[in-house]
Amino acid sequence: MTVHLPRRLLVWFIALLATGLLAIFVVCVALQFQVPWQTMTFQRFSIKHYRFYNPRNDINNSLEYQLSAENELDIIEKPDQGSVQQSVLLDESEESVLTEIPQIVSLDPNTKTLQRTEPKNETKTLKPEIKKEFDFGEQYFVDEFPSQTDCPNNIRKHVPQTNFSEMFLHTIPVLQWSKHLTPDEYERLSHYGGAHGWGGVAFDVLSSSLGILNTTANRLMFDDWEKRINRSACIRCAVVGNGGILNGSKKGKEIDEHDYVFRVNGAVLKGFEEDVGSRTSFYTFSTNTMRNSMRSYRGVGYRGPPITEESRYIFLPDHDRDYILMRAASTHTIIEKGPERGKTPPKYFGEDVTVEKFKMYHPDFTRYLRNRFLHSRLLKTGAKRFYRPSTGAVMLLAAIHTCDQVDAYGFMTPDWKLYSDHYYDKFYIKVRFYANHDMRMEMRLWQELHQAGLINLFMRQ
């Protein structure tokens, strides 16, 4: 018995192994016919397949996509191709570059599906070129609005003497209103998505929303200027960001003494009046940045947009929900479309808000800012589809295009590492950088505008 036992066990082992291999083969063949693993549809493809990393670091230390409070999108059924879905957290180094997880997916032009291929062992830095089909759109609507003042030393008169003379378009429409929506304009702007156009926004949505923006208050930034009894010769604006540089600045009184005060996103005022003031003339936001600010900064007292008689609300629309929300809120009607369909209009802007309180940045203006003032190197990478100027940058540049004099507070300066991310942070929070904005480029632009005398930038150092 002892002689034949090993041989019998060996025969059994070989038989079981062959049976197991045959079963695995059958299962693999069956799965191959049922669910081809090589293909994925566009709906399943996520922008998370990209990451930023510092080439000096190992790939395992790369930073995955993270959400910023300003730019994170609420979950919706079918997000626009041009809308910012997520933000990529960048390393502090200027050498951080966009890379792709090697050979994860590629587009099959025949089937319009993404083909999955096996990743290689090595990680390679990509330097993609701007594809020809990416249209920056240097054609803009022309608006002729005379200045509301006779200010002798306003910004527009000073621009020709600076290096910015060829960048400025004095006829660019800063705000959009009912006049701008025509079939021809819809066709032109439908080529650009997100904040840069009307791509992904149905004509009927635009018609019902922009159609009610037909008053002087909707098309003029300073719609109450002529009504002010003690108005000055020049319109002086304070544009207030939320940067930590304002903590302990004691600039509140100075800010409130301006003719108009611009604020953005999670602008917390209660308890910080000494540093940032208490007035808000214009509040700039998108539906997503506002809602995410309400969620992220609730702990420090942010409950929503400031509600005062003076306050006006300027949408930076990057999705159809901005147009839908504006119409529902201003007309006090139920939301008709989108993920909030059927809900009563939100009370973000007060119980008695009227359409005269609302304004909307024109998508030509946002695209013009991206193309001429903030043409980031990110536009030469895979981030070009979701990159845009930050909401604060659009607000500041809008003030430069409309005010006579601009004082900027709470924006990034070269000594930014000395300050927390926001002035209302309860403890020091390191400033983070995201790939849908180029904050370093914006910081350099603020310095250049300050040196050119077009703005007065508050700096501590």
Side-chain angles (χ1 to χ4, degrees), residues 43 45 50 140 152 199 210 247-248 315 369 402 413 425 457 459:
Q43 283 81 1
F45 177 66
Y50 294 91
Y140 308 104
L210 293 183
N247 188 287
F315 277 86
L369 298 183
T402 53
T413 54
D425 292 336
L457 179 67
M459 294 180 280

Side-chain angles (χ1 to χ4, degrees), residues 315-330:
F315 277 86
L316 174 56
D318 57 14
H319 197 273
D320 61 357
R321 66 195 315 196
D322 296 295
Y323 296 95
I324 294 168
L325 173 62
M326 186 279 295
R327 187 182 190 283
S330 60

Side-chain angles (χ1 to χ4, degrees), residues 218 313 329-332 349-358:
N218 305 130
Y313 309 103
S330 60
T331 58
H332 302 272
F349 315 102
E351 297 281 347
D352 303 319
V353 69
T354 62
V355 70
E356 286 79 14
K357 285 267 193 173
F358 292 99

Side-chain angles (χ1 to χ4, degrees), residues 80 88-89 110 162 207 212 239 265 280 300 329 368 370 427 456:
D80 262 356
V88 188
L89 182 62
N110 297 320
T162 71
S207 179
I212 65 174
V239 185
N265 290 334
T280 302
V300 291
Y368 151 79
R370 180 200 66 185
F427 51 87
N456 178 35

Side-chain angles (χ1 to χ4, degrees), residues 177-435:
W177 52 292
S178 59
K179 149 183 138 171
H180 295 120
L181 181 61
T182 65
D184 288 343
E185 280 298 281
Y186 182 72
E187 168 62 25
R188 179 179 70 85
L189 287 170
S190 292
H191 290 92
Y192 317 111
H196 304 118
W198 290 336
V201 184
F203 185 87
D204 65 317
V205 170
L206 288 168
S207 179
S208 62
S209 299
L210 293 183
I212 65 174
L213 297 180
N214 55 16
T215 71
T216 302
N218 305 130
R219 63 179 182 264
L220 284 180
M221 184 69 78
F222 311 110
D223 56 89
D224 67 339
W225 179 250
E226 282 73 20
K227 300 175 185 176
R228 296 194 175 193
I229 299 174
N230 297 320
R231 60 181 182 270
S232 58
C234 302
I235 296 177
R236 297 177 58 250
C237 300
V239 185
V240 187
N242 299 325
I245 191 173
L246 280 174
N247 188 287
S249 66
K250 294 182 169 43
K251 287 292 179 178
K253 185 175 183 294
E254 179 180 311
I255 289 171
D256 283 344
E257 288 174 347
H258 288 76
D259 296 310
Y260 296 95
V261 180
F262 290 71
R263 299 190 193 272
V264 64
N265 290 334
V268 183
L269 302 184
K270 187 174 182 180
F272 299 93
E273 293 88 349
E274 186 177 18
D275 290 336
V276 302
S278 59
R279 289 178 52 214
T280 302
S281 311
F282 302 105
Y283 174 75
T284 290
F285 66 103
S286 73
T287 301
N288 291 309
T289 62
M290 178 188 67
R291 293 184 62 174
N292 291 323
S293 294
M294 292 173 68
R295 179 169 61 246
S296 300
Y297 308 130
R298 186 175 183 83
V300 291
Y302 182 77
R303 297 292 184 271
I307 300 175
T308 68
E309 183 179 351
E310 176 186 11
S311 299
R312 306 289 192 269
Y313 309 103
I314 313 179
F315 277 86
L316 174 56
D318 57 14
H319 197 273
D320 61 357
R321 66 195 315 196
D322 296 295
Y323 296 95
I324 294 168
L325 173 62
M326 186 279 295
R327 187 182 190 283
S330 60
T331 58
H332 302 272
T333 55
I334 291 176
I335 297 175
E336 297 178 350
K337 295 186 178 182
E340 294 91 12
R341 180 181 178 183
K343 294 183 179 179
T344 57
K347 307 300 181 184
Y348 300 140
F349 315 102
E351 297 281 347
D352 303 319
V353 69
T354 62
V355 70
E356 286 79 14
K357 285 267 193 173
F358 292 99
K359 306 176 194 291
M360 277 193 160
Y361 289 114
H362 198 293
D364 270 358
F365 181 68
T366 310
R367 197 173 68 261
Y368 151 79
L369 298 183
R370 180 200 66 185
N371 292 349
R372 298 197 172 202
F373 291 86
L374 291 167
H375 193 87
S376 170
R377 62 192 176 90
L378 293 172
L379 291 168
K380 296 182 179 180
T381 72
K384 62 180 176 286
R385 291 292 178 186
F386 56 92
Y387 165 78
R388 71 163 173 83
S390 70
T391 312
V394 174
M395 172 182 68
L396 178 50
L397 288 164
I400 293 172
H401 281 73
T402 53
C403 303
D404 292 325
Q405 299 169 7
V406 171
D407 295 319
Y409 305 82
F411 286 84
M412 187 173 286
T413 54
D415 58 344
W416 56 268
K417 290 185 179 181
L418 299 177
Y419 316 110
S420 187
D421 197 5
H422 305 103
Y423 63 80
Y424 43 76
D425 292 336
K426 294 181 178 179
F427 51 87
Y428 180 86
I429 297 177
K430 184 179 179 180
V431 175
R432 294 182 176 186
F433 298 89
Y434 296 87

Side-chain angles (χ1 to χ4, degrees), residues 79-122:
D80 262 356
Q81 180 182 1
S83 63
V84 181
Q85 298 181 53
Q86 299 204 338
S87 301
V88 188
L89 182 62
L90 289 175
D91 186 88
E92 280 186 17
S93 169
E94 281 286 354
E95 285 101 21
S96 294
V97 294
L98 180 70
T99 64
E100 186 177 7
I101 295 179
Q103 304 300 317
I104 292 294
V105 288
S106 60
L107 178 64
D108 186 328
N110 297 320
T111 63
K112 301 301 181 183
T113 58
L114 296 168
Q115 303 296 320
R116 186 198 297 266
T117 54
E118 288 292 336
K120 299 178 182 178
N121 292 328
E122 61 188 24

